[in-house]
Amino acid sequence: MFRRYFKFWREALDFHSGAYRLDFFWIHVVNDLILAIIGFVTLTVSNSFWLVLKVDAAVLIVLFIPSLSLFIRRLRDTGFSINQVMFVLLSPSLLWIAIEISIELRSAILVLLVLLIYFGWLVFLVSRRSAYWTPLLSRIEKIYYGIGFAIMVSLSIGLQLAAGSVFRQDVKKALVHAVFKQQKVEKNTVRTTESDASSSAELSSSTERIPSSSSSVSSKIPDKSVVDVPDDSATKAYRQLPVDVIGDSDFGHFQVKGNWQQDASSLQWLQQTQQVMILTSTQGQGWGVDFSSFSFQTVVGQSQLTLSNFPTINVLRIDGTYESPNSDKVKNMAYLEWHMSDGHIRVIYVIAPSQALLNLIVATIGETYQSQ
């Protein structure tokens, strides 16, 4: 079986001989499995679907010339002349024209039909018998190859489905990025409609409060220990609620109380009873990181939080207030950021109506956070 695959690389620059149907399809199945394995290993190590796409793209570039020569040899083996082979190689330009016409006609069904006809035609071309001589396989050889095809296709599909779950997480993070960026733009737009003096002061204050790097934040935000606050009515009611667990396999999990719902568009966890919001992310969103999300209206101070299950990890906690862009209501907010032992970042925003409830939720996160 693998002799055929090694032959594929030996004949990488051979554009003149032929290739049997079995050689063509077997090699493509093996290459698909190799891509799936490389992608899965890269995903396991990096936990980034975008890096997987880059690695797979590099592998596809390496495979391009050998795969092109194999395709040409398969066409020539079916009896195609060099002019017919050139027509097939240039046919994507005709496909593009047909798709453009379908788009102009505003017909999605026609676009799908054009694609099905085109790729069905290609499959038909490479599936034709040899015009010269096709080797016959014994029954046992057919069984071996059938089992091999089934195993490799199953493995490829399984690995790709596993990668798909991480892809969905990365897409959600990208959506979070877009939503937060839009919220920030809208909020700044509203501010510009105020008086020039007020706007200038507010923008200046915002610049001072939200630096672009964690080192500058540490130097500008005063160290301030968290002060215990007596329970208010909302905190007492929160303590009586049943325990819930929120998070995901990518970020980790921790305990909270009450019935929490996740906003699929922004990945925020909401608890309507006490009007509490929690956002979890594996991308930083405020200090020394990629993009900003919730902006502090005022910053009170920074302190350190300990994770009971990871006592050697230092968690940065920054406390302050937050004003919702959709209302003038000000709430208490805490920002938590730390790096796991593998270097991957963890970020949590907690917004609560009172400092007592905020302290309780943050303390519970520190006591119950699990990476799995």
Side-chain angles (χ1 to χ4, degrees):
M1 292 183 179
F2 292 101
R3 174 179 57 84
R4 297 179 184 274
Y5 188 74
F6 296 143
K7 182 182 178 183
F8 161 70
W9 287 102
R10 290 198 306 269
E11 298 179 347
L13 300 178
D14 181 6
F15 297 90
H16 302 287
S17 59
Y20 298 129
R21 286 180 297 184
L22 179 60
D23 292 328
F24 182 85
F25 288 108
W26 176 256
I27 286 165
H28 277 287
V29 169
V30 174
N31 282 340
D32 287 344
L33 179 59
I34 290 174
L35 280 170
I37 292 174
I38 291 175
F40 184 78
V41 172
T42 305
L43 183 64
T44 303
V45 173
S46 67
N47 200 32
S48 171
F49 190 82
W50 307 115
L51 180 60
V52 173
L53 292 180
K54 294 178 182 179
V55 173
D56 282 351
V59 176
L60 288 173
I61 291 174
V62 174
L63 291 173
F64 177 73
I65 296 299
S67 299
L68 178 62
S69 67
L70 175 65
F71 181 66
I72 294 175
R73 293 200 307 273
R74 177 81 275 266
L75 293 178
R76 291 181 64 84
D77 191 61
T78 62
F80 271 33
S81 66
I82 186 63
N83 291 333
Q84 291 172 314
V85 171
M86 290 302 298
F87 174 78
V88 175
L89 294 179
L90 295 175
S91 62
S93 60
L94 299 178
L95 172 65
W96 180 251
I97 293 173
I99 291 177
E100 286 286 335
I101 294 174
S102 302
I103 293 175
E104 289 295 328
L105 295 175
R106 300 178 183 274
S107 176
I109 295 178
L110 187 57
V111 172
L112 179 60
L113 183 61
V114 168
L115 291 173
L116 289 176
I117 291 175
Y118 178 76
F119 287 106
W121 173 64
L122 290 181
V123 172
F124 169 75
L125 292 182
V126 297
S127 300
R128 297 163 63 206
R129 290 179 61 85
S130 172
Y132 310 105
W133 176 73
T134 299
L136 297 177
L137 299 177
S138 66
R139 179 176 297 180
I140 189 66
E141 288 176 321
K142 290 180 180 179
I143 293 175
Y144 284 153
Y145 278 109
I147 294 174
F149 271 105
I151 292 175
M152 290 191 176
V153 170
S154 299
L155 285 174
S156 296
I157 293 175
L159 293 174
Q160 290 168 9
L161 289 176
S165 62
V166 177
F167 171 72
R168 289 190 293 272
Q169 291 291 335
D170 284 357
V171 169
K172 289 180 178 179
K173 292 174 185 176
L175 291 175
V176 171
H177 186 174
V179 170
F180 289 152
K181 187 175 181 180
Q182 181 63 28
Q183 289 178 346
K184 194 171 183 66
V185 170
E186 292 175 355
K187 188 173 182 179
N188 289 336
T189 301
V190 172
R191 287 177 177 175
T192 57
T193 60
E194 300 174 355
S195 63
D196 293 340
S198 176
S199 297
S200 300
E202 190 169 353
L203 290 173
S204 175
S205 175
S206 175
T207 302
E208 293 178 357
R209 290 171 187 159
I210 309 179
S212 59
S213 67
S214 56
S215 59
S216 60
V217 169
S218 298
S219 63
K220 291 187 177 182
I221 298 180
D223 292 331
K224 185 174 181 179
S225 301
V226 178
V227 178
D228 291 334
V229 179
D231 285 1
D232 54 9
S233 58
T235 308
K236 292 178 180 178
Y238 178 85
R239 290 183 183 275
Q240 304 303 316
L241 297 174
V243 174
D244 194 4
V245 177
I246 63 174
D248 53 49
S249 58
D250 188 27
F251 177 88
H253 297 84
F254 54 87
Q255 292 183 7
V256 287
K257 288 193 173 185
N259 183 20
W260 290 75
Q261 303 293 328
Q262 187 177 27
D263 183 348
S265 63
S266 61
L267 301 183
Q268 300 173 13
W269 295 91
L270 304 173
Q271 204 262 65
Q272 299 293 345
T273 306
Q274 268 76 38
Q275 296 297 308
V276 182
M277 191 285 299
I278 293 178
L279 181 140
T280 62
S281 177
T282 55
Q283 298 185 36
Q285 299 163 16
W287 282 271
V289 286
D290 308 20
F291 58 88
S292 63
S293 61
F294 297 106
S295 301
F296 280 102
Q297 184 191 48
T298 59
V299 176
V300 175
Q302 63 176 341
S303 58
Q304 297 292 322
L305 177 70
T306 301
L307 301 178
S308 298
N309 295 317
F310 303 93
T312 60
I313 294 178
N314 292 323
V315 180
L316 171 67
R317 171 177 175 174
I318 299 178
D319 285 272
T321 59
Y322 167 75
E323 181 179 353
S324 172
N326 300 321
S327 68
D328 295 332
K329 191 172 184 179
V330 176
K331 294 185 177 182
N332 295 274
M333 182 165 73
Y335 171 89
L336 311 177
E337 178 182 313
W338 72 92
H339 293 260
M340 299 299 292
S341 57
D342 58 4
H344 292 170
I345 198 170
R346 296 292 185 271
V347 165
I348 297 180
Y349 280 91
V350 183
I351 300 178
S354 69
Q355 187 64 42
L357 182 55
L358 180 72
N359 289 345
L360 174 58
I361 295 174
V362 171
T364 305
I365 292 173
E367 294 168 359
T368 62
Y369 173 77
Q370 295 280 356
S371 60
Q372 298 294 334

